[in-house]
Amino acid sequence: MAPKSKEKSKPLASSQSSISIEDLFTSLNGHIKQLEYEKAAKVADQVLSVAPGDEDAIQCKIVALIKADNIDDALKIIESHQRLPIDLNFLKAYCLYRQNKLDEALQSLKIPEKNTATMLLESQILYRVGRMDGCLEIYQELSKSKIDSLEINYVAGLVSAGRASEVEKVMDALRVKPMSSFELAYNTACSLVDRNKHRDAEQLLLSAQRLGQATLKEDNFADDEIESELAPIAVQLAYVQQLLGQTQEAMEAYTNIIKRNLADESSLAVAVNNLVVLKGPKDVSDSLKKLDRLIEKGDQGQFQLGRGLDSKLSGKQREAIYVNRVLLLLHANRMDQARELVTALQGMFPDSVMPLLLQAAVFVRENKAGRAEEILGQFAEKFPDKSKVFLLAKAQVAAAAGHHQVAAESLAKVPDIQHMPATVATIVALKERAGDIDGAEAVFDSAIRWWSNAMTEDSKLSVIMQEAASFKLKHGREKEAFHLFEELVKGHGRVDALVGLVTTAAHVDVEKAEAYEKQLKPLPGLKGIDVNSLEKTSGSKPLENGSHGGTVQMPEDNKNKEKTKKKRKRKPRYPKGFDPANPGPPPDPERWLPKRERSSYRPKRKDKRAAHVRGSQGTVVREKPEVAAPDPSSRSAADNAESNAASSRPNQASTSKAAAQNAGSSKTSKKKSRKK
């Protein structure tokens, strides 16, 4: 049978050799137009079998494999043809980009001459890596040439780089409007969210949703495909509702997106994460189950997001998912899992402060506030450019633990806010609780000196001086408070400071207090009040001779006010035959109480004969045998016998202990037994 098979294979080989290369390329072009990429790759193999090393056939095969999502096979073809004089760096970089090997992809694009396609791919890789400055430089260079949909990526890069305020200016330079496409409208709405214009963002997202539905229907998309394409807009709209405080609407939107399961993987992940945030610690187990579906643990113990989310989500989005899982683990008291994930996050996000803050949060959850304060202080010294976050966190942990002095010192080390009124008030309150009054006063003095030398329009000097004067007056330092109030009155002309100055001067210098008192405006309605007569009222202290002054009536402003009518006194009505002159003995004060609650109540004696068992007439009563001490082993059986005897209906006289107890327990049971 083997020779026969060989004979049949000869004419097949001859038929292949008879097909020209032109016909193969024509067939290859037809498959590409029909989007039949797997067939196109097979035809490219036929061309290479006839003409090995053909550059066009190699490139067509690589592109066909990429279009068919056979990235690994395409990369193998590229590696096998590296020796040929063909520039495959762009295709290699794209394959590495698809495999999420971004650093290697950037290395492949380091070529002397770069065309538009190469620059676009490089900008996309830089966007994914998070190097937004380099990405925006390429977009700015490409904006000089006319490239379709460049503005969509340009605006997305600006938003991701934190430069949302420049979006409007860039769009004016490119001469495009937000409603040019639903993708551009979506990215512009994201920029409005970053600028805290949530209402405008909501309206633009709704417009983008309507525009997207109309555009995709024109392109003959199915309803499910339209919903999948517009899923990012729906998720972002729910997020805006969440920011606007419309919690219930946002939760319903997230739940609907998750249940329908028509969105792409990245939109679903964002919806799940935001829904978990909205729920908070209410349903920890369910939230953990939702997040556990997104996070996978590799064979070597490393954590990663499943379903290709690592390559689809930005760094901030991935970090938010991990951080929320750690917080849920802390609420669920799964300390070992939380500690393991926090340790892994420090390697996954080395430039972020969140893993370090979470490490302190784990110590706080374990009631180790001192250890948390220690490591936060170490992080503040190790990363001076990020020390503000660590110092604020340390102050919060210390204040919650009752370490007021440590919290005050941490706040004082933040140079940006240490002289702001809110910070000064917090530090003073902490030092006052710690008993450091001199330190609190020094904080006020330092803030006054700083604001006196600060060249700012919105000066807070008067606010600080007012609070400092009140603080000094509260703690018995009247002279210093007097000088501050006096400076406030002379330099700022504040009425409330004038009141404080008069009050303080009364303790220091009475003459100055009277002089400043004259600057106070008189209160309306007090002109007719005589102070001397007011002191003689019933509320005043007794005079030296021990007598009180008579009550002085206050003058009434409204003389036409009607006098209050005097109530007519009526004579009391007595019962018939009652003589008020001889009322007789007083009534019993306990006459309205029940008899059993009165002091004269005496309960009736119980009949001792009721305990004896009486049978019918002529019944002989036997003597009770002596009962020995019960055996512990038979105690349960005896208890059961007693309970059964007590619960059963007595039909005849019994001399047992249970029957005696039953007969003596109630009169009704005895009457029933007698009738029978």
Side-chain angles (χ1 to χ4, degrees), residues 591-608:
R591 63 187 182 280
W592 303 116
L593 295 176
K595 289 185 177 181
R596 63 180 176 275
E597 295 182 8
R598 298 181 188 179
S599 58
S600 60
Y601 174 71
R602 295 291 183 270
K604 294 183 179 181
R605 294 183 178 180
K606 292 183 179 180
D607 190 2
K608 297 181 179 180

Side-chain angles (χ1 to χ4, degrees), residues 280-281 284 326-334 365:
V284 177
V326 172
L327 295 177
L328 288 175
L329 290 173
L330 292 178
H331 281 294
N333 288 326
R334 301 183 185 178
R365 188 66 175 175

Side-chain angles (χ1 to χ4, degrees), residues 353-364:
V353 300
M354 286 305 300
L356 305 179
L357 294 176
L358 289 174
Q359 184 177 353
V362 172
F363 284 117
V364 172

Side-chain angles (χ1 to χ4, degrees), residues 412-647:
K413 292 179 181 179
V414 184
D416 299 343
I417 62 172
Q418 64 176 347
H419 297 300
M420 300 303 293
T423 309
V424 172
T426 306
I427 295 175
V428 168
L430 290 170
K431 285 185 173 293
E432 192 174 9
R433 289 189 178 186
D436 188 6
I437 305 301
D438 295 335
E441 187 179 3
V443 172
F444 272 125
D445 296 339
S446 175
I448 291 173
R449 287 193 300 270
W450 189 87
W451 282 106
S452 300
N453 300 326
M455 303 299 292
T456 57
E457 297 179 358
D458 187 16
S459 178
K460 304 295 183 182
L461 179 60
S462 60
V463 178
I464 299 293
M465 291 178 65
Q466 178 77 22
E467 295 298 326
S470 301
F471 178 83
K472 292 176 183 292
L473 181 61
K474 175 183 176 182
H475 292 280
R477 306 182 183 187
E478 290 86 0
K479 291 185 178 180
E480 299 176 7
F482 172 75
H483 292 305
L484 288 175
F485 279 127
E486 191 174 22
E487 186 177 352
L488 277 172
V489 171
K490 292 180 179 179
H492 303 275
R494 297 184 56 172
V495 178
D496 52 352
L498 182 59
V499 175
L501 178 59
V502 173
T503 306
T504 310
H507 297 279
V508 179
D509 192 344
V510 179
E511 295 180 358
K512 286 188 176 182
E514 294 177 350
Y516 283 117
E517 185 268 338
K518 296 179 181 179
Q519 299 181 15
L520 293 173
K521 295 181 180 180
L523 295 176
L526 298 180
K527 292 182 179 180
I529 296 179
D530 187 4
V531 178
N532 295 326
S533 62
L534 184 63
E535 292 178 351
K536 296 178 181 180
T537 58
S538 59
S540 62
K541 294 182 179 180
L543 301 176
E544 294 180 357
N545 55 3
S547 62
H548 291 273
T551 304
V552 180
Q553 295 182 356
M554 299 293 292
E556 296 179 355
D557 294 336
N558 188 6
K559 296 182 179 180
N560 297 327
K561 186 176 179 181
E562 297 181 358
K563 297 182 179 180
T564 57
K565 295 182 179 180
K566 296 183 178 179
K567 292 183 179 180
R568 186 178 58 180
K569 295 183 178 180
R570 295 183 178 181
K571 295 181 179 180
R573 298 178 64 182
Y574 298 109
K576 188 177 181 180
F578 178 77
D579 185 8
N582 299 317
D588 186 8
E590 298 180 352
R591 63 187 182 280
W592 303 116
L593 295 176
K595 289 185 177 181
R596 63 180 176 275
E597 295 182 8
R598 298 181 188 179
S599 58
S600 60
Y601 174 71
R602 295 291 183 270
K604 294 183 179 181
R605 294 183 178 180
K606 292 183 179 180
D607 190 2
K608 297 181 179 180
R609 295 174 297 175
H612 297 283
V613 178
R614 295 181 179 180
S616 58
Q617 188 175 0
T619 303
V620 179
V621 180
R622 299 179 181 178
E623 295 180 359
K624 296 180 182 180
E626 294 182 2
V627 181
D631 188 5
S633 61
S634 61
R635 185 174 183 179
S636 59
D639 293 341
N640 291 333
E642 290 180 6
S643 61
N644 293 334
S647 60

